[in-house]
Amino acid sequence: MVSRMKWLIAALCVASIVMEAANVKQEAGLEAGRRAYEASDYAKAILALQAAAAKEPQNGDVQLLLAKSYLELQERDPAIKSAEKAVALEPKNSIYHEWLGRAYGEKADHASWFSAISLAKKTRKEFETAVQLDGGNYSARQALIEFDCSAPGIVGGGEEKALPQIKQLAEMDAAEGHYAAGNCRRQKKDFAVADEEFTKALESNPKSAELLYDIGDYAAKRSQPERLLAVADMGERVAPGDPRRRFYRGVALVLKKENPEEAERLLREYAKIAPTRSGYPRPAAAHAWLGRLFEGQSRMEDAVKEFESALKLDPKNKMAQEALNRLKKG
């Protein structure tokens, strides 16, 4: 009897070790996918996550990260499929619905007119569901507001729908509310009011790095160096490890024509460490601004090299294209 009991205990221990090893291996698959995603190696992330999904088909987080990885590669159909799987696994998960909406929206932006209508309607429905499931999901609220401010009524949009959402958001978080109002006016090209609202958003101590750096993107396009410096300062507090503060501070210095050595250092650092990801200025943009810095210093050969580097990385970089055309004519 004792011998049999020892055998049973030993067998249970072995089974426990095997189960633990399987869990560790599965976590390693998901974690490997996360590491590859953070390193902007989306193809590698997809391979790791597909393996993780095969071993744990009920894990919605694996499907969510798959959807995000596919979107970064502009593979919209598999992104939608993965996001739909995540939603099917957890129908009450607000974040899953938000990202399914983003996947539908990405496809709508690149679809034919007829297909885009259906996809746009699905996009709004998912954003709305995400907000209904979690009113504190500010990212989903912002997405819904932006959709309503920019999309026509035929697909369910309309600024009149956005205004109550903006009001509710402002009551929950002043910075988010002012940003939403400013973003809505930006969609309508009412830049004077957008400027006012973005200023108020920055004065309201925003907590979101995405909100903050989207205002930075707006300020860079509108050549607003003081706003860019404010964004960089706040970014250091809100998200100290985020490299975008380097980019926007560097751009501000180029616009102000101050401290060129510091501007060059910041932009070069950003170009080396920036992830290739939505919401982040591309390394090509840093090279284009370096070109503008050198052009302002009459370092024309250096400027041309930077603009050419920008176009190698991103052939559609408008700043670099226009600058090279201008320099060649000169």
Side-chain angles (χ1 to χ4, degrees):
M1 182 70 178
V2 173
S3 176
R4 185 174 180 180
M5 183 65 70
K6 286 182 178 180
W7 178 88
L8 181 60
I9 291 172
L12 289 173
C13 288
V14 170
S16 176
I17 291 169
V18 170
M19 289 178 64
E20 185 176 350
N23 289 335
V24 169
K25 190 173 182 181
Q26 170 57 33
E27 184 65 17
L30 178 55
E31 285 306 312
R34 286 199 181 105
R35 287 194 299 271
Y37 179 88
E38 291 302 324
S40 302
D41 191 344
Y42 302 114
K44 183 177 179 180
I46 287 168
L47 288 175
L49 293 165
Q50 285 174 335
K55 293 173 182 176
E56 194 177 353
Q58 301 303 309
N59 191 327
D61 286 344
V62 171
Q63 296 298 333
L64 175 64
L65 194 52
L66 264 172
K68 290 181 178 181
S69 299
Y70 281 125
L71 284 175
E72 292 298 339
L73 294 179
Q74 298 184 13
E75 296 181 19
R76 301 172 189 96
D77 287 332
I80 288 172
K81 187 175 179 180
S82 292
E84 286 176 339
K85 285 181 180 178
V87 167
L89 289 169
E90 293 187 40
K92 294 187 178 181
N93 188 308
S94 174
I95 294 174
Y96 292 175
H97 282 281
E98 176 192 347
W99 278 93
L100 178 55
R102 293 185 185 279
Y104 283 142
E106 281 293 314
K107 187 170 182 180
D109 286 343
H110 296 84
S112 64
W113 182 82
F114 183 77
S115 297
I117 291 177
S118 173
L119 287 163
K121 289 179 179 179
K122 289 182 177 181
T123 299
R124 190 187 189 283
K125 181 181 177 182
E126 293 302 323
F127 289 155
E128 186 175 41
T129 300
V131 172
Q132 289 171 347
L133 287 170
D134 181 3
N137 184 344
Y138 293 161
S139 178
R141 278 190 183 271
Q142 295 289 3
L144 178 60
I145 290 167
E146 182 171 331
F147 181 96
D148 285 339
C149 285
S150 58
I154 192 173
V155 295
E159 189 175 354
E160 72 283 354
K161 293 183 178 179
L163 295 178
Q165 286 287 343
I166 293 173
K167 184 175 183 296
Q168 289 178 27
L169 191 54
E171 291 170 354
M172 298 168 71
D173 186 295
E176 294 277 349
H178 286 301
Y179 167 80
N183 192 27
C184 189
R185 298 322 304 162
R186 170 170 57 179
Q187 307 304 319
K188 303 297 183 183
K189 300 189 184 301
D190 183 357
F191 298 119
V193 176
D195 280 343
E196 293 176 7
E197 293 294 343
F198 287 151
T199 296
K200 291 176 182 176
L202 294 177
E203 291 172 347
S204 301
N205 297 316
K207 304 175 186 67
S208 165
E210 299 309 313
L211 179 160
L212 190 60
Y213 288 123
D214 189 53
I215 294 177
D217 186 62
Y218 172 87
K221 290 175 179 175
R222 302 285 295 167
S223 297
Q224 298 172 336
E226 297 303 332
R227 195 189 303 275
L228 284 167
L229 290 174
V231 163
D233 288 342
M234 291 184 189
E236 195 165 359
R237 173 180 55 82
V238 172
D242 196 307
R244 285 175 284 187
R245 61 187 173 86
R246 290 181 173 88
F247 176 82
Y248 291 116
R249 189 179 298 282
V251 171
L253 294 175
V254 173
L255 289 171
K256 288 171 73 68
K257 298 183 178 180
E258 293 179 359
N259 202 343
E261 295 83 5
E262 178 71 358
E264 180 177 356
R265 182 185 69 81
L266 290 167
L267 290 169
R268 289 204 185 283
E269 284 181 359
Y270 181 80
K272 288 179 180 178
I273 64 175
T276 306
R277 186 168 306 137
S278 302
Y280 286 73
R282 301 287 175 169
H287 286 288
W289 280 99
L290 281 166
R292 183 162 168 178
L293 170 66
F294 296 147
E295 184 182 3
Q297 296 176 308
S298 297
R299 295 167 55 184
M300 298 309 176
E301 288 187 11
D302 291 333
V304 168
K305 287 180 182 178
E306 293 298 335
F307 290 134
E308 288 177 343
S309 294
L311 288 176
K312 284 180 182 178
L313 292 169
D314 178 10
K316 296 181 180 180
N317 187 288
K318 188 176 179 181
M319 180 192 290
Q321 287 176 337
E322 292 177 350
L324 279 178
N325 290 336
R326 182 175 64 250
L327 292 175
K328 287 177 181 177
K329 288 179 180 179

